[in-house]
Amino acid sequence: MIKTKDRVILHCDMNGFYASVELLEHPELRDKPMAVSGDPDNRHGIILAKNQLAKQYGVVTAETIWKAKQKCPDLCLVRPHMSKYRYYCGLINKIYQRFTDMVEAFSIDESWLDVTASQSLFGTGRQIADTIRETVKSELGLTLSAGVSFNKTFAKMGSEYKKPDATTEITRENYKELLWPLPAGELFGVGRATRDKLKQSGILTIGDIANAKKEFLTGLFGKQGLIIWEHANGIDDDPVSLYTDKEPIKSVGNGITFRRDLSTADDIAIAVKGLSDTVAGRLRKYGLKAYGVKVDIKDPYFKVISRQTQLSSPTWLAEEIAKAATEIINRSWRKGYPIRMLTITGINLTDEMGNEQLSLFDSNIEEKERLEKVEFTMDAVRKKYGSNAIGFASVISNDLGITIKDTGDGPAGKK
């Protein structure tokens, strides 16, 4: 059995993935600052990805087009094409699998690879990482940054350390020198709220986290405090999953017992919107769509009813899930009767690349495409700034206890 300390883990992170894919079809933009964004005609649209030239002007992911144009007036904008990005994601993962069958996707453009057993065939971890980078570049015309380390946390941070098109190796001998001087918020798994709370306690760097008392951090953050202390000290035994070992997901849901009972139509609308947003984000994260929606309702006396409905076409959109859930509640729950707990679940799931029967005359196609762009933009903002960085206006600052979580691809990667 391979000891944990002997593992060699890679983290591969595509550089400006959306923008790089678009440049394959728009080579005329390769020497110009460009970005993938929402509607270019809407100055409040959001930047989803940018190329290196745009980055040099200070353009950042998730800022408004208007703000990006102030920094770079000649910025060229291209609309997103999610099906194209998913296609290239599949090609990239096939390349990874030439080197190991232990490939775990972290998002559409990031994966962990355990190459411990591959070294006898392909060389050291650094050599494998360099070979993968060159293979992806020569076969697909795309670049990536790779981190090599003895655990998943440091491999991820290695891929962030130097960009673009670089390999960084973080070892037991150099991790304190490379990582401990970095700001605390750079530690994988430390979000904005945790970073701010650490700062208030005088903990400013990753080294400060590593040298803090475990008891102090658990007092601040509970179990999460111990996790970030361990990660700062290089303690992470989390394995890389086999590419073929993904358990089929049968349903994706979210439920909450509210701080107070829902009693009005407005209360229910806020709750449904917030829960549907989380469910939709998780579906997109897993690359799945739901053919059905199920709603579970619990009253103050703990009586529970469960109802479901089938959809005419599969969805991963919050608006469509919320509409179906609202229809279920309106026909199944007595108006004005209080609700203590609500769960919304996407059921009858399908791979989003599967065949979807849409009429050529379906008037909703354009609307679905518009909603997809809006919600994928929200995913991008949350990935960079955290789960609660953006949300539907009606849900923000609610008094029901609803927070948006686990809707993106995890802690931010710098794209």
Side-chain angles (χ1 to χ4, degrees):
M1 182 175 177
I2 297 171
K3 296 180 180 180
T4 299
K5 69 177 182 178
D6 298 323
R7 292 192 306 164
V8 179
I9 309 298
L10 310 187
H11 185 271
C12 296
D13 185 356
M14 302 305 299
N15 300 140
F17 183 52
Y18 294 177
S20 297
V21 170
E22 294 297 340
L23 285 173
L24 295 176
E25 292 189 14
H26 296 281
E28 73 278 6
L29 300 180
R30 192 167 297 278
D31 296 324
K32 299 178 180 179
M34 67 82 66
V36 179
S37 71
D39 186 355
D41 297 326
N42 177 3
R43 70 189 187 99
H44 297 295
I46 297 293
I47 300 295
L48 299 178
K50 73 280 180 188
N51 68 357
Q52 192 65 23
L53 288 174
K55 185 176 181 180
Q56 291 172 8
Y57 279 90
V59 175
V60 297
T61 301
E63 71 178 346
T64 63
I65 293 172
W66 175 77
K67 189 172 181 180
K69 282 279 195 178
Q70 281 190 317
K71 299 174 180 176
C72 181
D74 296 327
L75 184 66
C76 301
L77 299 175
V78 178
R79 296 195 183 195
H81 300 89
M82 299 310 301
S83 60
K84 194 188 303 183
Y85 311 145
R86 292 191 292 269
Y87 170 74
Y88 276 95
C89 173
L91 296 180
I92 292 161
N93 275 280
K94 286 181 180 178
I95 291 175
Y96 295 160
Q97 290 172 74
R98 298 176 195 173
F99 298 87
T100 177
D101 58 353
M102 300 179 73
V103 178
E104 180 182 335
F106 181 56
S107 69
I108 192 170
D109 58 350
E110 299 181 53
S111 293
W112 279 290
L113 291 70
D114 188 328
V115 297
T116 308
S118 305
Q119 295 178 94
S120 60
L121 295 174
F122 303 109
T124 65
R126 174 180 281 276
Q127 289 171 332
I128 294 172
D130 288 340
T131 302
I132 289 174
R133 287 196 300 109
E134 291 304 316
T135 303
V136 171
K137 188 189 301 183
S138 63
E139 294 187 12
L140 303 180
L142 303 171
T143 65
L144 64 86
S145 293
V148 183
S149 195
F150 54 93
N151 63 46
K152 289 171 72 174
T153 296
F154 284 176
K156 163 69 174 168
M157 295 180 70
S159 69
E160 298 284 348
Y161 195 83
K162 186 178 180 182
K163 292 187 175 184
D165 196 16
T167 297
T168 300
E169 187 170 10
I170 297 177
T171 67
R172 296 182 184 278
E173 290 72 37
N174 71 6
Y175 78 86
K176 294 180 182 179
E177 175 187 351
L178 292 181
L179 301 182
W180 279 16
L182 297 177
E186 295 293 313
L187 179 65
F188 178 55
V190 172
R192 183 166 52 181
T194 301
R195 177 203 65 195
D196 291 345
K197 198 166 183 179
L198 287 169
K199 185 176 181 180
Q200 292 171 5
S201 301
I203 296 175
L204 306 180
T205 67
I206 294 175
D208 292 340
I209 296 175
N211 291 309
K213 292 186 180 296
K214 288 186 286 187
E215 296 78 13
F216 176 73
L217 292 175
T218 54
L220 281 178
F221 304 109
K223 182 179 178 181
Q224 181 63 19
L226 176 60
I227 292 172
I228 64 173
W229 181 88
E230 289 180 339
H231 285 183
N233 282 286
I235 302 170
D236 175 14
D237 296 337
D238 188 32
V240 176
S241 303
L242 280 167
Y243 191 81
T244 55
D245 271 1
K246 298 185 213 176
E247 286 288 330
I249 300 171
K250 297 181 179 178
S251 65
V252 174
N254 190 29
I256 185 172
T257 298
F258 303 102
R259 289 176 182 164
R260 60 174 178 79
D261 293 343
L262 309 182
S263 58
T264 68
D266 286 344
D267 285 346
I268 293 173
I270 292 170
V272 168
K273 180 73 79 172
L275 293 173
S276 299
D277 188 13
T278 302
V279 172
R282 290 173 178 171
L283 286 168
R284 293 190 296 272
K285 176 180 178 180
Y286 301 139
L288 298 170
K289 290 184 179 180
Y291 265 110
V293 173
K294 181 166 74 80
V295 177
D296 297 289
I297 308 173
K298 181 186 291 185
D299 71 11
Y301 306 101
F302 299 94
K303 176 185 175 182
V304 178
I305 69 165
S306 181
R307 301 288 187 272
Q308 63 186 54
T309 189
Q310 298 305 302
L311 306 175
S312 58
S313 62
T315 189
W316 54 11
L317 297 174
E319 292 281 355
E320 296 182 340
I321 294 169
K323 180 181 178 183
T326 300
E327 290 174 354
I328 292 172
I329 294 170
N330 286 343
R331 68 171 178 260
S332 306
W333 196 252
R334 194 170 75 210
K335 186 176 181 179
Y337 196 70
I339 295 175
R340 171 185 171 85
M341 180 179 181
L342 189 64
T343 300
I344 296 176
T345 306
I347 59 173
N348 299 337
L349 306 184
T350 180
D351 185 321
E352 49 83 19
M353 293 298 289
N355 293 327
E356 182 176 336
Q357 300 299 320
L358 287 175
S359 167
L360 293 175
F361 305 102
D362 189 344
S363 61
N364 291 325
I365 292 177
E366 289 188 1
E367 176 63 11
K368 288 173 77 80
E369 290 178 346
R370 184 190 70 79
L371 290 174
E372 273 203 344
K373 289 176 182 177
V374 169
E375 297 194 24
F376 270 106
T377 297
M378 292 171 67
D379 291 343
V381 174
R382 287 167 175 161
K383 182 177 180 182
K384 183 172 180 65
Y385 294 112
S387 296
N388 289 306
I390 189 171
F392 293 102
S394 60
V395 181
I396 295 173
S397 300
N398 69 86
D399 66 343
L400 302 174
I402 300 171
T403 57
I404 306 303
K405 55 186 178 179
D406 296 332
T407 55
D409 291 319
K414 296 176 183 175
K415 300 290 182 286

